[in-house]
Amino acid sequence: MIAKLHLLMNELDHARLEKLIDEDKYSKMPVAEALAERLDNADVVLPEEVPADLVSMHSRVKFRDLKADLVFEKELVYPHNLNPEATDQISVLAPLGAALLGASVGQEVHWQLPSGKDAALIVDEILYQPEAAGELHR
């Protein structure tokens, strides 16, 4: 189960994610079902209206795991962009990736791991966000 954050996102990412979670290979995944619910209730805005402190697709995020007290830097990507050899990427269809989507700097995010354990993180910094960089139609 992913975080219950209200989702604000740009219209391009919203349309791409809706299409993605409708694909047969993803549609039955619990994380895709939870993400679908968040997409249904999301506030969809133009790319230039996305706040610079919000995690959007292809954002590079610095966050801290509150349980293990470890700091990570990851880029939030679509599953088809995930490089299996890269350790600095996370798929939006991974529970952690879905939890990061729509979080803002300073916000705590809580979600349940597939094992049933609770997990928590805090977003420390957005190192790169496409919208803030002017990449509005990537």
Side-chain angles (χ1 to χ4, degrees), residues 93-115:
L93 288 183
L96 171 59
L100 280 169
L101 182 66
S104 54
V105 173
Q107 185 169 26
E108 278 191 33
V109 178
H110 298 266
W111 76 102
Q112 191 174 52
L113 297 170
S115 66

PDB file of all heavy atoms in Angstrom, residues 93-115:
ATOM      1  N   LEU A  93       6.469   2.198 -10.222  1.00  0.00           N
ATOM      2  CA  LEU A  93       5.653   1.038  -9.859  1.00  0.00           C
ATOM      3  C   LEU A  93       6.282   0.177  -8.770  1.00  0.00           C
ATOM      4  O   LEU A  93       5.765  -0.886  -8.444  1.00  0.00           O
ATOM      5  CB  LEU A  93       5.325   0.204 -11.100  1.00  0.00           C
ATOM      6  CG  LEU A  93       4.319   0.863 -12.038  1.00  0.00           C
ATOM      7  CD1 LEU A  93       3.988  -0.058 -13.205  1.00  0.00           C
ATOM      8  CD2 LEU A  93       3.041   1.265 -11.310  1.00  0.00           C
ATOM      9  N   ALA A  94       7.375   0.655  -8.190  1.00  0.00           N
ATOM     10  CA  ALA A  94       7.890   0.060  -6.955  1.00  0.00           C
ATOM     11  C   ALA A  94       7.162   0.769  -5.812  1.00  0.00           C
ATOM     12  O   ALA A  94       6.846   1.954  -5.929  1.00  0.00           O
ATOM     13  CB  ALA A  94       9.390   0.275  -6.843  1.00  0.00           C
ATOM     14  N   PRO A  95       6.863   0.086  -4.718  1.00  0.00           N
ATOM     15  CA  PRO A  95       6.158   0.754  -3.629  1.00  0.00           C
ATOM     16  C   PRO A  95       6.822   2.067  -3.182  1.00  0.00           C
ATOM     17  O   PRO A  95       6.139   3.065  -2.977  1.00  0.00           O
ATOM     18  CB  PRO A  95       6.147  -0.290  -2.513  1.00  0.00           C
ATOM     19  CG  PRO A  95       6.153  -1.593  -3.256  1.00  0.00           C
ATOM     20  CD  PRO A  95       7.053  -1.348  -4.454  1.00  0.00           C
ATOM     21  N   LEU A  96       8.135   2.074  -3.082  1.00  0.00           N
ATOM     22  CA  LEU A  96       8.833   3.290  -2.689  1.00  0.00           C
ATOM     23  C   LEU A  96       8.683   4.385  -3.745  1.00  0.00           C
ATOM     24  O   LEU A  96       8.451   5.550  -3.420  1.00  0.00           O
ATOM     25  CB  LEU A  96      10.320   3.003  -2.442  1.00  0.00           C
ATOM     26  CG  LEU A  96      11.213   4.224  -2.226  1.00  0.00           C
ATOM     27  CD1 LEU A  96      10.757   5.043  -1.041  1.00  0.00           C
ATOM     28  CD2 LEU A  96      12.657   3.783  -2.063  1.00  0.00           C
ATOM     29  N   GLY A  97       8.791   4.016  -5.019  1.00  0.00           N
ATOM     30  CA  GLY A  97       8.640   4.994  -6.094  1.00  0.00           C
ATOM     31  C   GLY A  97       7.255   5.614  -6.111  1.00  0.00           C
ATOM     32  O   GLY A  97       7.102   6.829  -6.240  1.00  0.00           O
ATOM     33  N   ALA A  98       6.248   4.791  -5.961  1.00  0.00           N
ATOM     34  CA  ALA A  98       4.871   5.302  -5.930  1.00  0.00           C
ATOM     35  C   ALA A  98       4.651   6.197  -4.716  1.00  0.00           C
ATOM     36  O   ALA A  98       3.932   7.187  -4.794  1.00  0.00           O
ATOM     37  CB  ALA A  98       3.879   4.140  -5.934  1.00  0.00           C
ATOM     38  N   ALA A  99       5.299   5.854  -3.596  1.00  0.00           N
ATOM     39  CA  ALA A  99       5.168   6.675  -2.392  1.00  0.00           C
ATOM     40  C   ALA A  99       5.838   8.035  -2.569  1.00  0.00           C
ATOM     41  O   ALA A  99       5.356   9.041  -2.055  1.00  0.00           O
ATOM     42  CB  ALA A  99       5.765   5.939  -1.190  1.00  0.00           C
ATOM     43  N   LEU A 100       6.935   8.082  -3.303  1.00  0.00           N
ATOM     44  CA  LEU A 100       7.639   9.342  -3.527  1.00  0.00           C
ATOM     45  C   LEU A 100       6.862  10.289  -4.445  1.00  0.00           C
ATOM     46  O   LEU A 100       6.936  11.510  -4.297  1.00  0.00           O
ATOM     47  CB  LEU A 100       9.017   9.087  -4.142  1.00  0.00           C
ATOM     48  CG  LEU A 100      10.129   8.674  -3.196  1.00  0.00           C
ATOM     49  CD1 LEU A 100      11.348   8.211  -3.986  1.00  0.00           C
ATOM     50  CD2 LEU A 100      10.497   9.827  -2.270  1.00  0.00           C
ATOM     51  N   LEU A 101       6.134   9.743  -5.395  1.00  0.00           N
ATOM     52  CA  LEU A 101       5.417  10.563  -6.366  1.00  0.00           C
ATOM     53  C   LEU A 101       4.467  11.530  -5.665  1.00  0.00           C
ATOM     54  O   LEU A 101       3.606  11.124  -4.902  1.00  0.00           O
ATOM     55  CB  LEU A 101       4.625   9.683  -7.335  1.00  0.00           C
ATOM     56  CG  LEU A 101       3.866  10.426  -8.436  1.00  0.00           C
ATOM     57  CD1 LEU A 101       4.838  11.097  -9.397  1.00  0.00           C
ATOM     58  CD2 LEU A 101       2.958   9.464  -9.195  1.00  0.00           C
ATOM     59  N   GLY A 102       4.659  12.815  -5.916  1.00  0.00           N
ATOM     60  CA  GLY A 102       3.784  13.827  -5.344  1.00  0.00           C
ATOM     61  C   GLY A 102       4.190  14.328  -3.977  1.00  0.00           C
ATOM     62  O   GLY A 102       3.565  15.239  -3.443  1.00  0.00           O
ATOM     63  N   ALA A 103       5.237  13.749  -3.387  1.00  0.00           N
ATOM     64  CA  ALA A 103       5.719  14.238  -2.091  1.00  0.00           C
ATOM     65  C   ALA A 103       6.471  15.546  -2.302  1.00  0.00           C
ATOM     66  O   ALA A 103       6.987  15.813  -3.385  1.00  0.00           O
ATOM     67  CB  ALA A 103       6.630  13.198  -1.437  1.00  0.00           C
ATOM     68  N   SER A 104       6.539  16.345  -1.265  1.00  0.00           N
ATOM     69  CA  SER A 104       7.268  17.600  -1.369  1.00  0.00           C
ATOM     70  C   SER A 104       8.376  17.653  -0.317  1.00  0.00           C
ATOM     71  O   SER A 104       8.382  16.871   0.646  1.00  0.00           O
ATOM     72  CB  SER A 104       6.326  18.794  -1.240  1.00  0.00           C
ATOM     73  OG  SER A 104       5.560  18.711  -0.082  1.00  0.00           O
ATOM     74  N   VAL A 105       9.295  18.569  -0.513  1.00  0.00           N
ATOM     75  CA  VAL A 105      10.435  18.708   0.388  1.00  0.00           C
ATOM     76  C   VAL A 105       9.932  18.936   1.815  1.00  0.00           C
ATOM     77  O   VAL A 105       9.039  19.740   2.050  1.00  0.00           O
ATOM     78  CB  VAL A 105      11.354  19.862  -0.068  1.00  0.00           C
ATOM     79  CG1 VAL A 105      12.450  20.122   0.954  1.00  0.00           C
ATOM     80  CG2 VAL A 105      11.960  19.552  -1.427  1.00  0.00           C
ATOM     81  N   GLY A 106      10.511  18.183   2.748  1.00  0.00           N
ATOM     82  CA  GLY A 106      10.151  18.290   4.154  1.00  0.00           C
ATOM     83  C   GLY A 106       9.007  17.389   4.571  1.00  0.00           C
ATOM     84  O   GLY A 106       8.712  17.274   5.756  1.00  0.00           O
ATOM     85  N   GLN A 107       8.391  16.734   3.622  1.00  0.00           N
ATOM     86  CA  GLN A 107       7.224  15.912   3.919  1.00  0.00           C
ATOM     87  C   GLN A 107       7.629  14.488   4.288  1.00  0.00           C
ATOM     88  O   GLN A 107       8.485  13.889   3.648  1.00  0.00           O
ATOM     89  CB  GLN A 107       6.309  15.878   2.712  1.00  0.00           C
ATOM     90  CG  GLN A 107       5.016  15.156   2.943  1.00  0.00           C
ATOM     91  CD  GLN A 107       4.046  15.397   1.806  1.00  0.00           C
ATOM     92  OE1 GLN A 107       4.419  15.680   0.686  1.00  0.00           O
ATOM     93  NE2 GLN A 107       2.779  15.277   2.113  1.00  0.00           N
ATOM     94  N   GLU A 108       6.982  13.963   5.318  1.00  0.00           N
ATOM     95  CA  GLU A 108       7.153  12.558   5.675  1.00  0.00           C
ATOM     96  C   GLU A 108       6.172  11.731   4.862  1.00  0.00           C
ATOM     97  O   GLU A 108       5.018  12.114   4.696  1.00  0.00           O
ATOM     98  CB  GLU A 108       6.866  12.323   7.158  1.00  0.00           C
ATOM     99  CG  GLU A 108       8.006  12.645   8.051  1.00  0.00           C
ATOM    100  CD  GLU A 108       7.791  12.164   9.478  1.00  0.00           C
ATOM    101  OE1 GLU A 108       7.145  11.111   9.698  1.00  0.00           O
ATOM    102  OE2 GLU A 108       8.286  12.868  10.377  1.00  0.00           O
ATOM    103  N   VAL A 109       6.647  10.608   4.376  1.00  0.00           N
ATOM    104  CA  VAL A 109       5.822   9.693   3.587  1.00  0.00           C
ATOM    105  C   VAL A 109       5.856   8.328   4.263  1.00  0.00           C
ATOM    106  O   VAL A 109       6.925   7.826   4.599  1.00  0.00           O
ATOM    107  CB  VAL A 109       6.355   9.587   2.134  1.00  0.00           C
ATOM    108  CG1 VAL A 109       5.534   8.605   1.326  1.00  0.00           C
ATOM    109  CG2 VAL A 109       6.389  10.952   1.465  1.00  0.00           C
ATOM    110  N   HIS A 110       4.682   7.758   4.462  1.00  0.00           N
ATOM    111  CA  HIS A 110       4.568   6.437   5.088  1.00  0.00           C
ATOM    112  C   HIS A 110       3.867   5.494   4.115  1.00  0.00           C
ATOM    113  O   HIS A 110       2.924   5.893   3.433  1.00  0.00           O
ATOM    114  CB  HIS A 110       3.762   6.539   6.388  1.00  0.00           C
ATOM    115  CG  HIS A 110       4.417   7.428   7.394  1.00  0.00           C
ATOM    116  ND1 HIS A 110       5.245   6.942   8.364  1.00  0.00           N
ATOM    117  CD2 HIS A 110       4.386   8.774   7.558  1.00  0.00           C
ATOM    118  CE1 HIS A 110       5.689   7.952   9.088  1.00  0.00           C
ATOM    119  NE2 HIS A 110       5.185   9.076   8.620  1.00  0.00           N
ATOM    120  N   TRP A 111       4.318   4.260   4.060  1.00  0.00           N
ATOM    121  CA  TRP A 111       3.689   3.257   3.209  1.00  0.00           C
ATOM    122  C   TRP A 111       4.002   1.880   3.765  1.00  0.00           C
ATOM    123  O   TRP A 111       4.832   1.734   4.653  1.00  0.00           O
ATOM    124  CB  TRP A 111       4.134   3.391   1.749  1.00  0.00           C
ATOM    125  CG  TRP A 111       5.516   2.883   1.456  1.00  0.00           C
ATOM    126  CD1 TRP A 111       5.862   1.700   0.876  1.00  0.00           C
ATOM    127  CD2 TRP A 111       6.754   3.540   1.721  1.00  0.00           C
ATOM    128  NE1 TRP A 111       7.216   1.579   0.776  1.00  0.00           N
ATOM    129  CE2 TRP A 111       7.787   2.709   1.290  1.00  0.00           C
ATOM    130  CE3 TRP A 111       7.090   4.768   2.298  1.00  0.00           C
ATOM    131  CZ2 TRP A 111       9.128   3.050   1.407  1.00  0.00           C
ATOM    132  CZ3 TRP A 111       8.425   5.101   2.419  1.00  0.00           C
ATOM    133  CH2 TRP A 111       9.416   4.251   1.968  1.00  0.00           C
ATOM    134  N   GLN A 112       3.313   0.898   3.232  1.00  0.00           N
ATOM    135  CA  GLN A 112       3.501  -0.481   3.682  1.00  0.00           C
ATOM    136  C   GLN A 112       4.284  -1.249   2.634  1.00  0.00           C
ATOM    137  O   GLN A 112       3.956  -1.215   1.443  1.00  0.00           O
ATOM    138  CB  GLN A 112       2.150  -1.137   3.918  1.00  0.00           C
ATOM    139  CG  GLN A 112       2.248  -2.461   4.636  1.00  0.00           C
ATOM    140  CD  GLN A 112       0.872  -2.992   4.971  1.00  0.00           C
ATOM    141  OE1 GLN A 112       0.011  -3.081   4.109  1.00  0.00           O
ATOM    142  NE2 GLN A 112       0.669  -3.353   6.223  1.00  0.00           N
ATOM    143  N   LEU A 113       5.315  -1.937   3.083  1.00  0.00           N
ATOM    144  CA  LEU A 113       6.120  -2.773   2.203  1.00  0.00           C
ATOM    145  C   LEU A 113       5.354  -4.046   1.854  1.00  0.00           C
ATOM    146  O   LEU A 113       4.440  -4.444   2.584  1.00  0.00           O
ATOM    147  CB  LEU A 113       7.437  -3.135   2.893  1.00  0.00           C
ATOM    148  CG  LEU A 113       8.354  -1.958   3.227  1.00  0.00           C
ATOM    149  CD1 LEU A 113       9.488  -2.417   4.127  1.00  0.00           C
ATOM    150  CD2 LEU A 113       8.892  -1.343   1.953  1.00  0.00           C
ATOM    151  N   PRO A 114       5.718  -4.718   0.757  1.00  0.00           N
ATOM    152  CA  PRO A 114       5.054  -5.979   0.405  1.00  0.00           C
ATOM    153  C   PRO A 114       5.107  -7.014   1.536  1.00  0.00           C
ATOM    154  O   PRO A 114       4.222  -7.851   1.661  1.00  0.00           O
ATOM    155  CB  PRO A 114       5.827  -6.460  -0.820  1.00  0.00           C
ATOM    156  CG  PRO A 114       6.371  -5.210  -1.436  1.00  0.00           C
ATOM    157  CD  PRO A 114       6.673  -4.295  -0.281  1.00  0.00           C
ATOM    158  N   SER A 115       6.134  -6.927   2.386  1.00  0.00           N
ATOM    159  CA  SER A 115       6.260  -7.857   3.510  1.00  0.00           C
ATOM    160  C   SER A 115       5.247  -7.560   4.622  1.00  0.00           C
ATOM    161  O   SER A 115       5.101  -8.334   5.551  1.00  0.00           O
ATOM    162  CB  SER A 115       7.670  -7.758   4.098  1.00  0.00           C
ATOM    163  OG  SER A 115       7.860  -6.471   4.685  1.00  0.00           O
TER     164      SER A 115
END
